[in-house]
Amino acid sequence: MTDDQPGSARAENELRTLLHRAVATVEPDPTALGRIRHAVPRRRARRRNAWTGAVAATLLAAAAVPALHAVRPFDLSGGTTAGSTDAHGADRTPRATRGSTGGPRTAPLPAHPDARPTPSTGTSGSAVATDPGSSTASAPVSVPACLRTDLGRGTAHVDPADSAGSTYGFFTVRNTSARSCGVTGPGIVAATAGGPADQTRIKVVDHIAGDAATALPAPGPVALPMVLRPGEGYRVRFGWVPEGACPSSAPRAAVAAPEAPATPAAGSGPVVPAAATTDPSPSPTPTADPPSVTVAHTPVGGDPTAASTVITGSCGGTVYRTAPEAVPAESATATATPGKS
Amino acid sequence: MIEAVPVVSLPVRRSAASRMGSAAAADATGASVDQLTETYQAHYRSLLRLAALLLDDLSSCEDVVQEAFIRVHAARRRVREPEKTLAYLRQTVVNLSRSTLRRRILGLRVLPKPMPDMASAEEGAYDALERDQLRTALRGLQRRQREVLVLRYYADLTEAQVAEVLGVSVGSVKAYGSRGLAALRVLMEGSHD
């Protein structure tokens, strides 16, 4: 740089050259266009649904606020607050407005007359006094929101990779508590790179119609909170669509997680379920770590992870996840299956 | 997305129509994706480099520029004016870069990954040194000064255009520019010793 002529054309030109030279080696990430292309329709959908979402949020709030109130007496075991809960709409007259909002997926509320009173009825007083008249038609009445500790028995199921190399599977999480509760959010699906896989090339996105995860069901309306009776659960499906090649040294495996021993987890599918609580303890393979991606689900409420699974053979790609869908109780726990879409 | 539907010929969808359903959205997507590719090829690299001068770690730059593309292309009204797309993109990149820096100052972001040292064989050691000096010096400038210099001399905007992007007066642009140049020179000379 020159020592004189401040602001001169020469200095400006020099700066121009310097600036261009300074970033001449900066090159786009090759996956950038793909990411943008995936994200744009999603963002549009979000904009489009902005006001629909506002309505949904209002409904959610309407359902969740009493639910939150209902949780409090559970924590504080205070009789006074329990009293206030009743004032919040745990009445036996379902509100007319609620009736009209009944999403297809919201499970029928505990308002069933069958002989299965939840032991915690006393504490979660909001669990709706039995009212045979309203029964299943009444939509989200107040049940307490599911605490993280209410949800468990997480399992993961993965199908073998399809011809296109994509891998599909799902996580199932159940209400392991003795009371009904409402799942208030979709939870988190996270993907972590293992071996030579590249974390920066791994994305998790919501599944939308027309995206690359063609085997996932088209997303429908999501009705949260989703009420789970004891034993009932929800399922979050995912599809792993690998993208790009591995660094040449990385070994490629053709099938999903061939080396991980199938843990005899409850209700597991045929292929490699690995409940997070049980240590998957992958048997050491003679070669170096194969590239792998660990896909894990954490329910709303945060850690710990409910279930995870390892997909090997690719170094980057996208996890497409769906919203939770209801899963009936496994065994003879329930006589009536919930309204499953 | 290979079918090259001319964007202009699409029936114009006003914002009200965007609520009408996904079918309408679906057919518009094909065309705009084409346009997206075009815009990407034309501007992504230079915008990434612009961000690289405003920020100091490459992954933030990618994030910022990708987000800018997503925002601008998600708003159909904006992509319907192709001549303005670059301006929208640039503006968004500058704004997002600012908020990225702000977040970092607030400590909400973990330590940024340093820009990878891409000094290659064909690039002399001197060039690499000079490049690093410039980056360090740019970082030493006030944010406004840096923005003005980068927009003015890297993106080659006029003073009026810079003023518009930054939302300040032309007079301020002149002032930031000249002070920025002077400060930069001092910083560069300081690092020579």
Side-chain angles (χ1 to χ4, degrees):
Chain A
M1 287 229 132
T2 52
D3 295 325
D4 50 359
Q5 296 173 310
S8 72
R10 186 174 159 203
E12 292 180 359
N13 276 330
E14 239 175 284
L15 178 57
R16 198 167 273 133
T17 316
L18 273 176
L19 286 172
H20 279 270
R21 219 186 286 158
V23 288
T25 54
V26 173
E27 288 295 331
D29 180 340
T31 64
L33 180 57
R35 280 184 202 172
I36 297 167
R37 186 172 288 154
H38 278 132
V40 167
R42 223 164 8 113
R43 190 69 61 89
R44 280 185 184 161
R46 204 189 297 168
R47 292 163 61 97
R48 189 166 52 242
N49 293 335
W51 81 268
T52 320
V55 173
T58 314
L59 294 175
L60 175 67
V65 166
L68 287 175
H69 279 278
V71 173
R72 199 173 299 148
F74 185 74
D75 290 333
L76 301 176
S77 68
T80 49
T81 31
S84 78
T85 308
D86 287 341
H88 271 92
D91 265 349
R92 57 197 55 153
T93 45
R95 295 184 194 168
T97 48
R98 291 263 178 78
S100 65
T101 66
R105 207 171 297 168
T106 23
L109 248 277
H112 27 234
D114 67 356
R116 203 159 54 86
T118 49
S120 59
T121 304
T123 49
S124 57
S126 68
V128 175
T130 31
D131 180 0
S134 66
S135 80
T136 56
S138 66
V141 199
S142 49
V143 289
C146 293
L147 304 175
R148 178 63 189 88
T149 46
D150 294 334
L151 300 171
R153 284 182 26 225
T155 56
H157 170 94
V158 179
D159 291 320
D162 66 13
S163 56
S166 303
T167 307
Y168 293 92
F170 54 80
F171 299 109
T172 309
V173 175
R174 293 186 182 277
N175 177 5
T176 53
S177 75
R179 56 174 189 162
S180 294
C181 66
V183 178
T184 54
I188 295 166
V189 172
T192 320
D198 183 354
Q199 187 68 50
T200 62
R201 288 172 50 203
I202 297 173
K203 289 257 171 189
V204 180
V205 301
D206 289 339
H207 168 60
I208 52 160
D211 66 17
T214 47
L216 290 178
V222 182
L224 291 171
M226 176 189 296
V227 174
L228 302 180
R229 288 181 293 192
E232 291 177 350
Y234 71 85
R235 180 164 289 175
V236 170
R237 297 177 187 277
F238 66 87
W240 164 250
V241 180
E243 222 170 69
C246 284
S248 51
S249 60
R252 286 186 66 93
V255 197
E259 90 284 16
T263 50
S268 58
V271 186
V272 201
T277 43
T278 57
D279 184 4
S281 66
S283 53
T285 40
T287 56
D289 282 350
S292 68
V293 176
T294 303
V295 186
H297 174 58
T298 308
V300 64
D303 285 337
T305 301
S308 68
T309 185
V310 179
I311 300 169
T312 55
S314 40
C315 289
T318 306
V319 175
Y320 297 87
R321 63 155 297 178
T322 65
E325 60 190 87
V327 175
E330 272 172 312
S331 50
T333 330
T335 47
T337 50
K340 188 184 158 193
S341 69
Chain B
M1 61 204 68
I2 310 296
E3 41 178 319
V5 185
V7 182
V8 229
S9 73
L10 268 179
V12 172
R13 299 181 197 288
R14 311 211 181 279
S15 56
S18 62
R19 297 186 200 131
M20 299 289 276
S22 50
D27 61 5
T29 310
S32 55
V33 160
D34 263 347
Q35 196 191 1
L36 170 62
T37 310
E38 237 166 68
T39 321
Y40 175 88
Q41 282 164 353
H43 304 306
Y44 189 90
R45 179 180 279 111
S46 68
L47 287 166
L48 182 68
R49 291 175 175 180
L50 175 72
L53 290 169
L54 296 173
L55 295 169
D56 52 8
D57 76 293
L58 195 56
S59 64
S60 291
C61 300
E62 289 276 1
D63 289 348
V64 158
V65 182
Q66 286 176 22
E67 176 65 19
F69 266 75
I70 293 164
R71 285 193 190 178
V72 169
H73 283 81
R76 285 199 189 74
R77 231 173 318 133
R78 298 201 152 181
V79 268
R80 243 182 264 128
E81 306 163 297
E83 71 283 353
K84 287 195 191 159
T85 305
L86 177 58
Y88 284 134
L89 282 169
R90 198 185 282 129
Q91 173 107 47
T92 314
V93 166
V94 171
N95 291 344
L96 289 172
S97 298
R98 267 185 202 173
S99 40
T100 302
L101 286 177
R102 208 174 298 135
R103 268 204 307 280
R104 197 176 294 156
I105 289 165
L106 291 175
L108 295 181
R109 201 189 159 88
V110 286
L111 204 62
K113 269 189 283 178
M115 198 77 85
D117 186 16
M118 286 173 292
S120 53
E122 68 260 34
E123 190 189 22
Y126 177 76
D127 284 346
L129 183 72
E130 185 186 61
R131 192 191 58 208
D132 291 344
Q133 272 173 5
L134 180 70
R135 281 198 187 137
T136 314
L138 277 175
R139 243 170 283 156
L141 294 181
Q142 280 175 23
R143 191 197 72 201
R144 290 272 196 202
Q145 293 176 348
R146 179 173 55 239
E147 286 169 353
V148 167
L149 292 188
V150 168
L151 288 173
R152 187 90 178 80
Y153 300 113
Y154 176 75
D156 284 323
L157 300 191
T158 65
E159 284 172 343
Q161 286 170 324
V162 175
E164 202 189 327
V165 170
L166 299 183
V168 298
S169 69
V170 174
S172 304
V173 170
K174 285 187 208 286
Y176 285 126
S178 60
R179 276 187 231 133
L181 270 175
L184 191 64
R185 189 166 47 247
V186 171
L187 287 165
M188 293 289 281
E189 275 163 10
S191 65
H192 269 295
D193 310 320

